[in-house]
Amino acid sequence: MPEGVLEIDRISKRYGEVVALRDMSFDVRAGELFGFVGSNGAGKTTAMRIALGVLAADSGGVRWNGRTVDLDTRRRIGYMPEERGLYPRMKVLDQLVYLAELHGMGTNEAHTSAENWIARLGLRDRRTDEVQRLSLGNQQRVQLAAALVHEPDVLVLDEPFSGLDPVAVDVMSQVLREKASAGVPVVFSSHQLDLVERLCDRVGIISAGSMVASGTVDELRSGGAARLVVESPTTEWAATLESVRLIERNGTRCVLELADGTDDQTVLHAALAAGPVHEFSRQRPSLTELFRNVVTTEGRSG
Amino acid sequence: MTSARAVSLVAKREFVTKVRTRSFLIGTAVIIAVLAGYVVLQSVLFDDQQHSVVGLSGQATQLADPLREKAKAFGIEVETRDVTTAGDAEQQVRDGALDALVTGAPPELKMIVKGSGDDVLATALNDVLRQQVLTAQLAEAGINPQEVAQSLANATVAVTALEPVDPQRGQRLAIGLIVAALLYYSLLVYGTMVAQGVVEEKSSRVVEILLATLRPWQLLLGKVIGLGAVGLLQLLVISTVGLGLSSAFDVIDVSSLGGAALLTGVLWYLLGFFLYATVFAAAASLVSRQEELQSVLTPISMTIIVAFVAGINLMIGNPSGTTVTVLSMLPPFAPILMPGRMALGVAPAWQVLLAVALALLAIAAITWLGGKVYANAVLRTGARVKLREALKL
């Protein structure tokens, strides 16, 4: 079973005056699904291209099990580029066999594996069709098969879910989960944050070329200032507490942000002292809110 | 995986994919058909010129042997037929079964032809007739006609040629032109094919997946070798069929000239292809779409076209002239002009070796430079990459 860690270590990349990546670091461990989120132009694709050696970094390095990734280790990576790419006039089966062979498989092994993934991804009827004659969704499946056909030790997928119908999304999620549980580190980027939240073990949020937050979804959601949702007829009691800030008020519901180290029970007592309390809960931001928060903060500071 | 395996995988894909395409099969078939048509036409024209059927009637039949001999001396072949008993001899001339009908008794002969008639045949017939008249009158005067004939035969001018004309010059020129034309076609077509392949990979973005597992030079070399092999295959098929047909129809003396021309053709195809294909590939890597390809390929295609058109004209005029000699040794023109001059037999060994050496040097330089441009530009999609930027990086 392949096991190992993919480490991205302080990579930087500039295109002329534009800084695409600034000291970006993260690692993906064996059996882990790592979701990579960030707004357009944040540097996701650049980071993945550098990890695959398709692009050279100005500084920093990419390591697999502690060793710098070279062409031989790179052959063990399954890659799905953001810009989908297959030979339009090549037949599905021929194409997959060719790619498997290029990644170091013998001819027989390549055939077996190509047929296997064609069957897994429901492409059996189309195996001798030219790729350009396939629907967009089926082309996406072939693209996934192209990333998987050489049974890679690492998966790096740039926007694997874009353009997929809900059934294909399920198939894709299932395949990724399966690969991860087989011990393969999986990195993928996506704009579908709910999907990332549901699927990933860990998430990295990048903005303007830097990793601004990373950790498990729970860690990220519970990080930052604690917030409470309180439903009570008045809110004047909140103003009397020094360590509490009113963020938002909507009818009788309000959202409060607590300064570090504030005991929520103190807040509850203060609220009860002022009147009846119908709801009192900790608010955990969704990944989308976190993302929006991070990106707008970064945007202001940058 | 070794580099050799990587390159051979790429080359195999290029070869198999291209050879299977309809355009390759149809293209090859069309060229062979054109070639076959040309050869058959040549041989028919040749035959028509050289072979005449003459009908002889009545007393004219005694002219059969001398006429055949005289015609042979004139380089034409005459078949004679006794048509004395044929009532429709004139009709046979009209139908084209006979090229000429000769009637009457010497010296009052009549020749009937359909149209303009064959001047050579008429001259031959006149000579035969005069000979007969002369012989008859000499005999009458008591002189031995055979002695006179002997003296006449000895009275010839001894010609010493300072620059002997090659009796095969015509054939050599034809072979030289055909070789040059085939190389011109192959370089242009297969060079363009390499360029299209590069852009196809770039525009379909498959190059990004490929370069995650291959080095740019492996991909480039594999592509050049694979498509070069397709071109070579086509060249060999066409030449073999062409030579076979030519020898079958006696158009060209294959044994001495054709084989040698084929060998030099293959050698120069390989040199020329490696020289041009890398340039084509590097130029193609600068653009991202097939529509933009023409603009970057034009300067390269123009070089080949100029080399061919100008070279052919110079070669027909004077294959040993200074201009064509110098051009045939310079790398961009050598692959088209040198094999032509070699087929003509006017290129001394030192010129051939110099041309080969220069071509090899140029290939080394071009491969290095072209490989660099290709590696730098092939992943940059979108706007056309400036050549200076591609070289700088």
Side-chain angles (χ1 to χ4, degrees), chain A residues 176-237:
Chain A
L176 296 190
R177 264 265 146 255
E178 203 173 280
K179 279 281 152 193
S181 46
V184 174
V186 180
V187 193
F188 73 91
S189 68
S190 180
H191 286 303
Q192 281 147 284
L193 298 175
D194 51 330
L195 203 80
V196 173
E197 189 169 350
R198 209 169 61 227
L199 207 58
C200 289
D201 303 306
R202 288 199 306 135
V203 177
I205 302 178
I206 77 167
S207 175
S210 307
M211 183 69 74
V212 290
S214 79
T216 63
V217 176
D218 277 345
E219 277 166 16
L220 289 179
R221 287 181 63 187
S222 53
R227 288 188 178 190
L228 292 173
V229 179
V230 184
E231 188 171 345
S232 63
T234 66
T235 51
E236 280 115 44
W237 55 269

Side-chain angles (χ1 to χ4, degrees), chain A residues 49 54 75 79 85 87 102, chain B residues 1 13 201 204 208 213 379:
Chain A
R49 284 179 152 190
V54 172
R75 289 219 169 89
Y79 178 43
Y87 284 107
L102 279 187
Chain B
M1 187 161 64
R13 191 202 86 88
E201 280 169 1
S204 71
E208 195 166 335
T213 173
L379 277 175

